[in-house]
């Protein structure tokens, strides 16, 4: 009888331990799920927010706005991407600002204008500087030819005026 009571006590004790074990396991599982959810949210936000900022900057760049601001800085791949975008925008700003200055000076008649930053005209941008230089040469040549021809026209007009003057003087002398 004592053995039976002892066995029942041990069975009850085992049932309590099983219940505590199940409760502890459930609590640990819920805590782990909560931690995993919050870590996943944090990791997702730490990736998606910089990507969204870089995407907005890319869209603005595609729309012709080089004054984009990318605030994300990091020592990871996204940080490298953000820095590359900032560098590309700054580079293109220099090319466009210098090209704009060159064209404005040429529009004012200054065909001796030179780039202030030839080093930025690399890759596909080199063609822009080459075209501006060719335009400058062609316009200078054309204006030189116009000057030459207008000088010839002026000289011809002067000869015609002298001839007309002589003819008028001859007409006056004949009528006398």
């Amino acid at each position: 009888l004592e053995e039976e009571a002892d066995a029942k006590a041990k069975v009850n004790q085992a049932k309590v331990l099983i219940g505590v074990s199940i409760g502890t396991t459930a609590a640990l599982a819920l805590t782990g799920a909560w931690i995993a959810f919050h870590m996943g949210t944090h990791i997702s936000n730490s990736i998606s927010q910089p990507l969204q900022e870089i995407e907005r900057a890319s869209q603005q760049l595609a729309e012709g706005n080089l004054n984009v601001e990318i605030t994300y800085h990091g020592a990871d791949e996204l940080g490298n991407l953000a820095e590359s975008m900032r560098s590309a925008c700054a580079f293109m700003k220099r090319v466009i600002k210098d090209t704009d200055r060159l064209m404005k000076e040429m529009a004012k008649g200054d065909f001796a204008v030179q780039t202030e930053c030839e080093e930025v005209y690399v890759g596909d941008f080199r063609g822009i500087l080459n075209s501006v230089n060719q335009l400058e040469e062609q316009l200078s040549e054309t204006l030189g030819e116009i000057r030459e021809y207008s000088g010839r026209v002026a000289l011809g007009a002067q000869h015609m005026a002298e001839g007309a003057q002589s003819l008028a003087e001859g007409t006056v002398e004949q009528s006398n």
Side-chain angles (χ1 to χ4, degrees), residues 9 12 14 25 28 51 53 59 70 73 79 82-83 87 89 95 105 108 110 113 120 128 138 151-153 155 158 160:
N12 285 338
T25 302
L28 287 174
L51 281 175
E53 182 180 12
Q59 184 62 39
I70 301 171
H73 293 276
E83 184 57 36
S87 295
C89 287
V95 169
E105 289 301 313
K108 292 178 190 174
D110 180 4
V113 67
V120 298
I128 294 171
Q138 287 291 348
R152 288 181 187 173
V153 168
L155 185 60
Q158 182 182 357
M160 286 179 66

Side-chain angles (χ1 to χ4, degrees), residues 50-82:
L51 281 175
Q52 289 170 355
E53 182 180 12
I54 293 168
E55 180 184 16
R56 280 190 302 274
S58 296
Q59 184 62 39
Q60 289 176 355
L61 184 61
E63 293 169 358
N65 179 11
L66 296 176
N67 296 312
V68 297
E69 184 177 346
I70 301 171
T71 59
Y72 180 76
H73 293 276
D76 56 5
E77 291 83 2
L78 291 175
N80 293 341
L81 179 60

